[in-house]
Amino acid sequence: MDRGGIFAGDDPFALAKAWLSEAEASEPNDPNAIALATVDADGMPNTRMVLLKEIEPAAFVFYTNYTSRKGREIEASGKAAFVMHWKSLHRQIRVRGMTEREDGPIADAYYASRSLKSRLGAWASAQSQPLSSRTALVAEVAKITATHGTNPARPPFWGGIRIIPTEIEFWADGAFRLHDRFRWTLSGSDGAWMTQRLNP
Ligand SMILES: Cc1cc2nc3c(=O)[nH]c(=O)nc-3n(C[C@H](O)[C@H](O)[C@H](O)COP(=O)(O)O)c2cc1C
């Protein structure tokens, strides 16, 4: 396999981390933004941006409201996919995988690290539900502030989703649309990663 240069290495998670840290130096904002795809019960896809908060040794983690549309779709299907694209680097990473909740101490620690306003906002927003007015949301934040004080616990309906990939593709722009693509696939039997170069 002629995989070298920016694609070198045996660990796709380490490679994703390396690309993300390069993007942190060159993107104007949110280098960790990912377009997250889910499907509803009819197989109709849905996408939206979220922020990737952690690249673990074998998983990717973001945070959200479990009762949101994405939360419910992930809960029902147990699957998700995402793409991260960096215009400044002319590169993308695509991930598909199985999901699980991260709603233990790691989620508590991440919630506690957020600003107080964000922590209260997580309590106040019934994410993805209809909202009568902005005023109603501001009133809800005021109510939550009065009842939850300055050290709110993580809401039980809010936490992390861990995506445990079965496929990861690294893509880099090449001259005349002859891009480089390498797909890493988890081989069923022994949990080892297989890599293949793909046509652009
Ligand atoms: C750059 C960016 C980052 C975002 N990050 C998050 C996030 O980390 N978690 C989240 O729940 N929503 C995030 N959002 C809002 C989502 O895109 C979306 O509006 C919301 O989660 C509701 O989606 P849903 O109704 O499909 O569940 C972000 C939006 C943008 C544009």
Side-chain angles (χ1 to χ4, degrees):
M1 169 77 54
D2 57 342
R3 198 160 44 74
I6 59 167
F7 295 96
D10 294 329
D11 176 355
F13 299 95
L15 190 53
K17 272 193 161 184
W19 282 26
L20 177 57
S21 40
E22 273 187 71
E24 279 161 3
S26 59
E27 285 290 300
N29 54 49
D30 294 337
N32 59 332
I34 61 178
L36 174 79
T38 55
V39 284
D40 71 12
D42 298 322
M44 178 69 115
N46 238 326
T47 57
R48 80 291 282 158
M49 304 305 295
V50 297
L51 296 178
L52 184 66
K53 284 295 167 180
E54 191 63 41
I55 300 179
E56 295 181 339
F60 297 88
V61 184
F62 69 92
Y63 286 84
T64 197
N65 183 312
Y66 294 135
T67 65
S68 67
R69 194 162 188 187
K70 80 184 87 49
R72 289 177 194 276
E73 290 182 357
I74 284 172
E75 212 84 328
S77 70
K79 299 180 185 110
F82 70 81
V83 61
M84 54 199 325
H85 170 231
W86 299 294
K87 289 187 165 73
S88 59
L89 296 179
H90 304 273
R91 294 185 208 168
Q92 66 174 336
I93 300 179
R94 297 166 66 178
V95 172
R96 306 174 76 204
M98 312 307 288
T99 54
E100 64 178 33
R101 277 189 187 197
E102 170 46 70
D103 58 358
I106 294 175
D108 292 340
Y110 173 64
Y111 180 78
S113 78
R114 305 180 85 215
S115 71
L116 180 60
K117 285 212 156 83
S118 300
R119 281 178 279 156
L120 293 167
W123 272 104
S125 168
Q127 194 177 54
S128 312
Q129 300 304 315
L131 176 64
S132 59
S133 66
R134 176 110 204 148
T135 313
L137 180 61
V138 172
E140 190 59 29
V141 172
K143 199 170 100 193
I144 292 288
T145 305
T147 51
H148 288 65
T150 55
N151 191 20
R154 179 176 58 82
F157 54 81
W158 188 99
I161 305 273
R162 179 174 286 116
I163 302 176
I164 303 147
T166 50
E167 263 182 44
I168 308 181
E169 183 192 313
F170 294 85
W171 182 104
D173 187 46
F176 306 108
R177 304 280 155 94
L178 297 181
H179 315 300
D180 286 310
R181 299 177 64 188
F182 289 95
R183 184 170 61 203
W184 300 62
T185 310
L186 202 56
S187 76
S189 48
D190 57 357
W193 290 99
M194 274 180 30
T195 57
Q196 275 178 314
R197 184 186 267 277
L198 301 178
N199 271 277

